[in-house]
Short mmCIF file of all heavy atoms in Angstrom, two decimals:
data_model
loop_
_atom_site.label_atom_id
_atom_site.label_comp_id
_atom_site.label_asym_id
_atom_site.label_seq_id
_atom_site.Cartn_x
_atom_site.Cartn_y
_atom_site.Cartn_z
N PHE A 1 6.24 7.37 -10.76
CA PHE A 1 5.42 7.63 -9.52
C PHE A 1 6.11 7.12 -8.37
O PHE A 1 6.07 7.75 -7.33
CB PHE A 1 4.13 6.76 -9.78
CG PHE A 1 2.94 7.19 -8.78
CD1 PHE A 1 2.41 8.31 -8.63
CD2 PHE A 1 2.74 6.18 -7.86
CE1 PHE A 1 1.46 8.66 -7.82
CE2 PHE A 1 1.79 6.46 -6.91
CZ PHE A 1 1.11 7.71 -6.79
N ALA A 2 6.93 6.05 -8.54
CA ALA A 2 7.86 5.64 -7.51
C ALA A 2 8.75 6.69 -7.01
O ALA A 2 9.04 6.89 -5.86
CB ALA A 2 8.50 4.30 -7.86
N HIS A 3 9.30 7.31 -8.04
CA HIS A 3 10.28 8.35 -7.69
C HIS A 3 9.65 9.44 -6.87
O HIS A 3 10.23 9.99 -5.92
CB HIS A 3 10.92 8.98 -9.01
CG HIS A 3 11.85 10.06 -8.82
ND1 HIS A 3 12.04 11.05 -9.68
CD2 HIS A 3 12.76 10.41 -7.80
CE1 HIS A 3 13.05 11.94 -9.32
NE2 HIS A 3 13.29 11.62 -8.25
N LYS A 4 8.41 9.89 -7.33
CA LYS A 4 7.70 10.88 -6.65
C LYS A 4 7.46 10.51 -5.11
O LYS A 4 7.73 11.41 -4.22
CB LYS A 4 6.27 11.10 -7.36
CG LYS A 4 5.50 12.37 -6.77
CD LYS A 4 4.19 12.42 -7.49
CE LYS A 4 3.49 13.73 -7.09
NZ LYS A 4 2.36 13.98 -7.98
N LEU A 5 7.01 9.36 -4.91
CA LEU A 5 6.90 8.91 -3.45
C LEU A 5 8.09 8.81 -2.66
O LEU A 5 8.13 9.25 -1.61
CB LEU A 5 6.18 7.59 -3.57
CG LEU A 5 4.60 7.53 -4.17
CD1 LEU A 5 4.07 6.11 -3.95
CD2 LEU A 5 3.75 8.49 -3.33
N ASP A 6 9.21 8.38 -3.37
CA ASP A 6 10.45 8.29 -2.72
C ASP A 6 10.98 9.74 -2.37
O ASP A 6 11.55 9.91 -1.31
CB ASP A 6 11.55 7.51 -3.60
CG ASP A 6 11.26 6.08 -3.63
OD1 ASP A 6 10.38 5.58 -2.87
OD2 ASP A 6 11.90 5.42 -4.55
N PHE A 7 10.80 10.76 -3.24
CA PHE A 7 11.30 12.08 -3.09
C PHE A 7 10.50 12.56 -1.86
O PHE A 7 11.13 13.21 -1.01
CB PHE A 7 10.93 12.83 -4.34
CG PHE A 7 11.35 14.31 -4.20
CD1 PHE A 7 12.63 14.58 -5.05
CD2 PHE A 7 10.79 15.18 -3.61
CE1 PHE A 7 13.09 15.96 -5.09
CE2 PHE A 7 11.30 16.54 -3.58
CZ PHE A 7 12.43 16.80 -4.31
N VAL A 8 9.18 12.38 -1.87
CA VAL A 8 8.39 13.05 -0.73
C VAL A 8 8.72 12.38 0.64
O VAL A 8 8.87 13.03 1.68
CB VAL A 8 6.97 13.02 -1.04
CG1 VAL A 8 6.29 13.45 0.25
CG2 VAL A 8 6.60 13.86 -2.22
N ALA A 9 8.99 11.12 0.53
CA ALA A 9 9.40 10.42 1.63
C ALA A 9 10.79 10.79 2.30
O ALA A 9 10.90 10.95 3.48
CB ALA A 9 9.52 8.79 1.37
N GLU A 10 11.70 11.09 1.44
CA GLU A 10 12.95 11.55 1.81
C GLU A 10 12.89 12.92 2.51
O GLU A 10 13.55 13.35 3.46
CB GLU A 10 14.07 11.53 0.64
CG GLU A 10 14.63 10.22 0.39
CD GLU A 10 15.81 10.24 -0.52
OE1 GLU A 10 16.35 11.48 -0.81
OE2 GLU A 10 16.22 9.31 -1.00
N ALA A 11 12.11 13.80 1.77
CA ALA A 11 11.95 15.10 2.33
C ALA A 11 11.27 15.14 3.76
O ALA A 11 11.59 15.93 4.61
CB ALA A 11 11.10 15.99 1.37
N THR A 12 10.28 14.11 3.89
CA THR A 12 9.65 14.08 5.26
C THR A 12 10.60 13.55 6.19
O THR A 12 10.62 14.10 7.35
CB THR A 12 8.45 12.98 5.00
OG1 THR A 12 7.52 13.48 4.09
CG2 THR A 12 7.72 12.86 6.36
N ALA A 13 11.33 12.54 5.98
CA ALA A 13 12.50 12.10 6.85
C ALA A 13 13.34 13.20 7.32
O ALA A 13 13.71 13.30 8.40
CB ALA A 13 13.11 10.83 6.28
N TRP A 14 13.81 13.98 6.30
CA TRP A 14 14.66 15.14 6.54
C TRP A 14 14.01 16.11 7.54
O TRP A 14 14.67 16.61 8.39
CB TRP A 14 15.08 15.69 5.30
CG TRP A 14 16.05 16.94 5.26
CD1 TRP A 14 17.21 16.90 5.65
CD2 TRP A 14 15.90 18.29 4.85
NE1 TRP A 14 17.97 18.03 5.63
CE2 TRP A 14 17.02 19.02 5.09
CE3 TRP A 14 14.74 19.02 4.29
CZ2 TRP A 14 17.19 20.41 4.73
CZ3 TRP A 14 14.81 20.35 3.93
CH2 TRP A 14 16.14 20.95 4.28
N CYS A 15 12.77 16.46 7.27
CA CYS A 15 12.05 17.41 8.20
C CYS A 15 11.92 16.69 9.64
O CYS A 15 12.16 17.48 10.65
CB CYS A 15 10.73 17.70 7.65
SG CYS A 15 10.57 18.96 6.39
N LEU A 16 11.63 15.49 9.67
CA LEU A 16 11.54 14.79 11.11
C LEU A 16 12.82 14.86 11.73
O LEU A 16 12.93 15.11 12.96
CB LEU A 16 11.11 13.32 10.86
CG LEU A 16 9.66 13.14 10.59
CD1 LEU A 16 9.40 11.67 10.30
CD2 LEU A 16 8.86 13.52 11.89
N GLU A 17 14.01 14.67 10.99
CA GLU A 17 15.30 14.77 11.64
C GLU A 17 15.63 16.10 12.10
O GLU A 17 16.24 16.28 13.17
CB GLU A 17 16.38 14.30 10.59
CG GLU A 17 17.83 14.29 11.23
CD GLU A 17 18.69 13.79 10.09
OE1 GLU A 17 18.36 13.20 9.04
OE2 GLU A 17 19.97 14.03 10.33
N ARG A 18 15.25 17.07 11.49
CA ARG A 18 15.59 18.54 11.72
C ARG A 18 14.66 19.11 12.97
O ARG A 18 14.89 20.03 13.52
CB ARG A 18 15.42 19.43 10.58
CG ARG A 18 16.39 18.95 9.38
CD ARG A 18 16.29 20.00 8.13
NE ARG A 18 16.83 21.13 8.53
CZ ARG A 18 16.54 22.34 8.05
NH1 ARG A 18 15.37 22.48 7.33
NH2 ARG A 18 17.29 23.43 8.21
N GLY A 19 13.47 18.50 12.99
CA GLY A 19 12.41 19.03 13.93
C GLY A 19 11.62 20.13 13.47
O GLY A 19 11.63 20.52 12.11
N PRO A 20 10.56 20.65 14.11
CA PRO A 20 9.80 21.67 13.67
C PRO A 20 10.54 22.93 12.99
O PRO A 20 11.45 23.28 13.65
CB PRO A 20 8.80 22.22 14.92
CG PRO A 20 9.06 20.93 15.79
CD PRO A 20 10.37 20.27 15.46
N ALA A 21 10.05 23.30 11.84
CA ALA A 21 10.64 24.41 11.15
C ALA A 21 10.54 25.63 12.00
O ALA A 21 9.53 25.94 12.66
CB ALA A 21 10.03 24.61 9.76
N ARG A 22 11.60 26.49 11.93
CA ARG A 22 11.57 27.74 12.60
C ARG A 22 12.16 28.83 11.73
O ARG A 22 13.10 28.64 11.11
CB ARG A 22 12.52 27.69 14.00
CG ARG A 22 12.02 26.81 15.08
CD ARG A 22 12.85 26.65 16.33
NE ARG A 22 12.18 25.92 17.38
CZ ARG A 22 12.41 24.54 17.41
NH1 ARG A 22 13.18 23.87 16.48
NH2 ARG A 22 11.75 23.86 18.41
N ARG A 23 11.44 30.04 11.82
CA ARG A 23 11.81 31.17 10.89
C ARG A 23 12.11 30.64 9.53
O ARG A 23 13.22 30.86 9.04
CB ARG A 23 12.83 31.87 11.64
CG ARG A 23 13.00 33.36 11.03
CD ARG A 23 13.86 34.27 11.92
NE ARG A 23 14.11 35.42 11.24
CZ ARG A 23 13.22 36.55 11.15
NH1 ARG A 23 12.11 36.44 11.57
NH2 ARG A 23 13.58 37.52 10.53
N ALA A 24 11.21 29.89 8.96
CA ALA A 24 11.46 29.34 7.64
C ALA A 24 10.16 29.27 6.76
O ALA A 24 8.97 29.38 7.29
CB ALA A 24 11.84 27.92 7.89
N VAL A 25 10.47 29.34 5.51
CA VAL A 25 9.33 29.29 4.52
C VAL A 25 9.74 28.37 3.47
O VAL A 25 10.81 28.05 2.99
CB VAL A 25 9.18 30.60 3.82
CG1 VAL A 25 8.14 30.58 2.65
CG2 VAL A 25 8.86 31.77 4.71
N MET A 26 8.74 27.46 3.00
CA MET A 26 8.90 26.48 1.92
C MET A 26 7.98 26.74 0.83
O MET A 26 6.69 26.88 1.06
CB MET A 26 8.77 25.05 2.57
CG MET A 26 9.42 24.09 1.58
SD MET A 26 8.90 22.39 2.10
CE MET A 26 7.47 22.10 1.02
N VAL A 27 8.26 26.75 -0.34
CA VAL A 27 7.52 27.04 -1.50
C VAL A 27 7.77 26.08 -2.62
O VAL A 27 8.83 25.43 -2.58
CB VAL A 27 7.72 28.47 -2.06
CG1 VAL A 27 7.58 29.52 -0.92
CG2 VAL A 27 8.92 28.63 -2.87
N GLY A 28 6.83 25.97 -3.61
CA GLY A 28 7.17 25.36 -4.72
C GLY A 28 6.00 24.66 -5.51
O GLY A 28 4.81 24.61 -4.93
N ASP A 29 6.30 24.07 -6.58
CA ASP A 29 5.44 23.18 -7.21
C ASP A 29 5.53 21.83 -6.63
O ASP A 29 6.41 21.01 -7.02
CB ASP A 29 5.60 23.23 -8.73
CG ASP A 29 4.85 22.17 -9.54
OD1 ASP A 29 3.87 21.49 -8.88
OD2 ASP A 29 4.99 21.96 -10.66
N LEU A 30 4.62 21.46 -5.78
CA LEU A 30 4.74 20.12 -5.04
C LEU A 30 4.02 19.08 -5.68
O LEU A 30 3.95 17.87 -5.32
CB LEU A 30 4.21 20.32 -3.69
CG LEU A 30 4.89 21.37 -2.88
CD1 LEU A 30 4.43 21.31 -1.27
CD2 LEU A 30 6.45 21.22 -2.81
N ASN A 31 3.24 19.43 -6.83
CA ASN A 31 2.66 18.41 -7.67
C ASN A 31 1.68 17.49 -7.11
O ASN A 31 1.48 16.41 -7.55
CB ASN A 31 3.74 17.69 -8.50
CG ASN A 31 3.90 18.21 -9.95
OD1 ASN A 31 2.94 18.61 -10.64
ND2 ASN A 31 5.17 18.34 -10.33
N ILE A 32 1.14 18.05 -5.87
CA ILE A 32 0.03 17.30 -5.13
C ILE A 32 -0.97 18.31 -4.76
O ILE A 32 -0.71 19.28 -4.17
CB ILE A 32 0.63 16.45 -4.00
CG1 ILE A 32 1.61 15.39 -4.44
CG2 ILE A 32 -0.55 15.86 -3.28
CD1 ILE A 32 2.44 14.77 -3.35
N ALA A 33 -2.20 17.94 -4.99
CA ALA A 33 -3.41 18.79 -4.42
C ALA A 33 -4.04 17.97 -3.30
O ALA A 33 -4.61 17.10 -3.52
CB ALA A 33 -4.40 19.04 -5.63
N PRO A 34 -3.79 18.39 -2.10
CA PRO A 34 -3.99 17.57 -0.90
C PRO A 34 -5.43 17.60 -0.60
O PRO A 34 -6.05 16.61 0.07
CB PRO A 34 -3.12 18.02 0.07
CG PRO A 34 -2.84 19.50 -0.26
CD PRO A 34 -3.00 19.64 -1.72
N LEU A 35 -6.18 18.67 -0.74
CA LEU A 35 -7.38 18.90 -0.11
C LEU A 35 -8.61 18.54 -1.08
O LEU A 35 -8.44 18.74 -2.34
CB LEU A 35 -7.70 20.23 0.46
CG LEU A 35 -6.63 20.59 1.54
CD1 LEU A 35 -7.00 21.98 2.07
CD2 LEU A 35 -6.54 19.59 2.76
N GLU A 36 -9.82 18.17 -0.55
CA GLU A 36 -10.91 17.89 -1.52
C GLU A 36 -11.16 18.99 -2.46
O GLU A 36 -11.46 18.76 -3.70
CB GLU A 36 -12.24 17.56 -0.65
CG GLU A 36 -13.43 17.43 -1.42
CD GLU A 36 -14.67 17.01 -0.43
OE1 GLU A 36 -14.46 16.77 0.75
OE2 GLU A 36 -15.76 17.02 -1.12
N HIS A 37 -11.12 20.32 -1.86
CA HIS A 37 -11.43 21.43 -2.81
C HIS A 37 -10.24 22.06 -3.36
O HIS A 37 -10.23 23.14 -3.98
CB HIS A 37 -12.29 22.40 -2.01
CG HIS A 37 -13.55 21.86 -1.65
ND1 HIS A 37 -14.64 21.61 -2.54
CD2 HIS A 37 -14.01 21.49 -0.40
CE1 HIS A 37 -15.63 21.10 -1.96
NE2 HIS A 37 -15.38 21.12 -0.66
N ASP A 38 -9.02 21.26 -3.45
CA ASP A 38 -7.90 21.69 -4.20
C ASP A 38 -8.05 21.20 -5.57
O ASP A 38 -7.03 21.35 -6.38
CB ASP A 38 -6.57 21.20 -3.60
CG ASP A 38 -6.33 21.94 -2.33
OD1 ASP A 38 -6.76 23.03 -2.19
OD2 ASP A 38 -5.45 21.40 -1.53
N VAL A 39 -8.92 20.45 -5.95
CA VAL A 39 -9.18 19.96 -7.29
C VAL A 39 -10.66 20.13 -7.73
O VAL A 39 -11.64 20.43 -6.90
CB VAL A 39 -8.87 18.46 -7.36
CG1 VAL A 39 -7.46 18.17 -7.15
CG2 VAL A 39 -9.75 17.57 -6.35
N TRP A 40 -10.89 20.24 -9.10
CA TRP A 40 -12.31 20.52 -9.52
C TRP A 40 -13.31 19.29 -9.29
O TRP A 40 -14.48 19.76 -9.06
CB TRP A 40 -12.28 20.77 -11.05
CG TRP A 40 -11.80 19.66 -11.88
CD1 TRP A 40 -10.53 19.24 -12.23
CD2 TRP A 40 -12.71 18.69 -12.43
NE1 TRP A 40 -10.54 18.11 -13.01
CE2 TRP A 40 -11.83 17.82 -13.15
CE3 TRP A 40 -14.10 18.47 -12.58
CZ2 TRP A 40 -12.39 16.59 -13.94
CZ3 TRP A 40 -14.56 17.38 -13.31
CH2 TRP A 40 -13.78 16.50 -13.98
N SER A 41 -12.72 18.09 -9.11
CA SER A 41 -13.73 17.03 -8.72
C SER A 41 -13.06 16.02 -7.95
O SER A 41 -12.15 15.24 -8.36
CB SER A 41 -14.22 16.56 -10.00
OG SER A 41 -15.12 15.24 -9.65
N HIS A 42 -13.19 16.06 -6.63
CA HIS A 42 -12.50 15.17 -5.78
C HIS A 42 -12.78 13.69 -6.11
O HIS A 42 -11.88 12.80 -6.26
CB HIS A 42 -12.95 15.37 -4.26
CG HIS A 42 -12.52 14.32 -3.29
ND1 HIS A 42 -11.24 14.22 -3.00
CD2 HIS A 42 -13.20 13.48 -2.60
CE1 HIS A 42 -11.24 13.21 -1.99
NE2 HIS A 42 -12.35 12.78 -1.75
N LYS A 43 -14.10 13.45 -6.46
CA LYS A 43 -14.44 12.02 -6.77
C LYS A 43 -13.70 11.50 -8.04
O LYS A 43 -13.22 10.47 -8.22
CB LYS A 43 -16.01 11.97 -7.03
CG LYS A 43 -16.42 10.52 -7.16
CD LYS A 43 -18.00 10.51 -7.19
CE LYS A 43 -18.53 9.15 -7.42
NZ LYS A 43 -20.15 9.10 -7.67
N GLN A 44 -13.81 12.43 -9.09
CA GLN A 44 -13.21 12.00 -10.37
C GLN A 44 -11.74 11.90 -10.50
O GLN A 44 -11.05 11.21 -11.27
CB GLN A 44 -13.78 12.87 -11.45
CG GLN A 44 -15.13 12.85 -11.73
CD GLN A 44 -15.68 13.63 -12.82
OE1 GLN A 44 -15.31 13.35 -14.03
NE2 GLN A 44 -16.50 14.54 -12.72
#
């Protein structure tokens, strides 16, 4: 779990350094469901 958070933090810092993406697409299994209705039960 620590590795996961470190990975995302590094990717975030990289994006901040580069600035807003331009003419770019990012895809993948990001292994995080961010929104309430991205999961079958937000509460559980």
Side-chain angles (χ1 to χ4, degrees):
F1 193 69
H3 178 211
K4 181 177 193 174
L5 297 180
D6 289 346
F7 186 103
V8 175
E10 281 196 11
T12 302
W14 184 60
C15 280
L16 281 171
E17 181 182 345
R18 301 180 79 212
R22 292 182 176 84
R23 198 164 170 78
V25 178
M26 200 191 94
V27 311
D29 175 5
L30 305 186
N31 263 313
I32 299 173
L35 303 182
E36 178 178 348
H37 296 293
D38 286 344
V39 294
W40 65 272
S41 173
H42 172 64
K43 184 177 180 180
Q44 294 185 64

